[in-house]
Amino acid sequence: MNNAMKITMALVIALGLLALGLCIRSGLRAIPDSQRTVDVRGLATREVPANRVTWPIVFKQVGNDLPTVYEQVSSTNDAIVKYLKDNGISDSDISISAPSMTDLTTDRYNTQPLPYNYSVQSVVTVSSDKVDKVRELINRQGELLRRGIAIQSDYSYPITYEYTELNSIKPEMIAEATKNAREAANKFAEDSESKLGKIKSAYQGQFSIEDRDNYTPYIKTVRVVTTLTYFLED
């Protein structure tokens, strides 16, 4: 092999090594660029009216003769059910729990004279999707007092309101939260003199349903937060 051929082969090898080096250098530059990301969150909220209400109507009857007390409880239950049905509540929305009896004579710690021997508690529960109608009756429950039915406030039996149609608003809320997250990501990209790339990952947080405030439990606030990671490009 003459010197000219040797020089030519050496030049080809050198050029090949140079090209390979440039490719490796370009690849090494691209790796950090491809890892540039931004994490953003998008929030979506809705105020919705409750579509289900549960109203426990609690009362007690007391006396010394247990059969008589139970008869009074049964009669009062019937009166409450009639009142509810007369005001537009259907049978399917009314339930009566088994009465709870307390025998005060068995309280060994009581040393005072007993005004009566037995106390029986009963609960008539309304569970209905007629939220406005039930709220109206709750505001009018004084009518039961005028009929001699002593309704009790019992923290063990609170009035509750629910929103059960979350699936109907989920898609719109997720879309809104994603849009808000993208707007935040675009703003970050502009401030950093970059361009927003594709989504690297996305996480949809849990939906939460809470009372709007302590005074309007029949209005709910639905909330969801999505977390997205975008690539940033030059």
Side-chain angles (χ1 to χ4, degrees):
M1 183 181 294
N2 57 35
N3 290 335
M5 291 181 64
K6 290 180 179 179
I7 293 172
T8 301
M9 290 181 65
L11 288 173
V12 171
I13 293 172
L15 290 173
L17 291 173
L18 178 61
L20 178 61
L22 291 174
C23 289
I24 293 174
R25 183 180 180 187
S26 176
L28 291 174
R29 285 181 175 177
I31 290 173
D33 288 344
S34 67
Q35 298 304 314
R36 293 176 57 213
T37 60
V38 57
D39 296 329
V40 289
R41 291 184 177 183
L43 169 67
T45 60
R46 291 277 193 285
E47 282 192 0
V48 295
N51 65 327
R52 191 81 184 168
V53 58
T54 300
W55 175 28
I57 305 172
V58 185
F59 69 92
K60 285 184 179 179
Q61 293 285 0
V62 297
N64 293 320
D65 182 64
L66 192 56
T68 300
V69 173
Y70 269 104
E71 286 181 9
Q72 292 171 338
V73 168
S74 179
S75 175
T76 302
N77 282 337
D78 291 343
I80 292 174
V81 170
K82 183 178 186 305
Y83 171 79
L84 295 172
K85 292 171 66 175
D86 288 346
N87 284 277
I89 305 300
S90 61
D91 279 320
S92 60
D93 292 341
I94 303 171
S95 62
I96 302 175
S97 302
S100 173
M101 189 272 290
T102 301
D103 185 350
L104 300 178
T105 62
T106 61
D107 184 0
R108 60 181 180 177
Y109 297 106
N110 181 36
T111 59
Q112 302 298 320
L114 295 175
Y116 44 80
N117 294 335
Y118 303 106
S119 172
V120 178
Q121 178 177 275
S122 183
V123 183
V124 179
T125 302
V126 178
S127 184
S128 174
D129 57 4
K130 299 178 180 178
V131 177
D132 291 339
K133 169 58 68 175
V134 175
R135 284 188 57 223
E136 175 192 342
L137 292 180
I138 291 172
N139 292 332
R140 290 168 46 197
Q141 61 184 303
E143 295 176 10
L144 292 172
L145 298 176
R146 286 196 293 269
R147 300 184 185 194
I149 301 173
I151 302 300
Q152 292 191 325
S153 296
D154 191 325
Y155 292 109
S156 300
Y157 297 94
I159 300 171
T160 59
Y161 296 89
E162 301 173 79
Y163 179 70
T164 63
E165 297 180 353
L166 180 59
N167 287 337
S168 67
I169 62 173
K170 264 187 176 181
E172 289 184 1
M173 291 191 65
I174 292 173
E176 180 183 342
T178 303
K179 178 183 176 183
N180 292 338
R182 185 173 181 85
E183 290 177 355
N186 272 320
K187 177 61 176 173
F188 182 90
E190 290 176 4
D191 292 344
S192 62
E193 298 182 351
S194 303
K195 292 182 181 179
L196 198 63
K198 295 181 178 179
I199 294 177
K200 179 182 179 183
S201 62
Y203 172 74
Q204 175 201 309
Q206 293 289 330
F207 276 82
S208 65
I209 304 176
E210 300 175 346
D211 295 346
R212 183 179 67 177
D213 53 56
N214 294 331
Y215 309 103
T216 55
Y218 46 87
I219 299 177
K220 303 295 182 179
T221 297
V222 183
R223 171 190 173 99
V224 66
V225 177
T226 59
T227 302
L228 293 93
T229 300
Y230 285 92
F231 288 109
L232 292 176
E233 301 172 352
D234 289 334

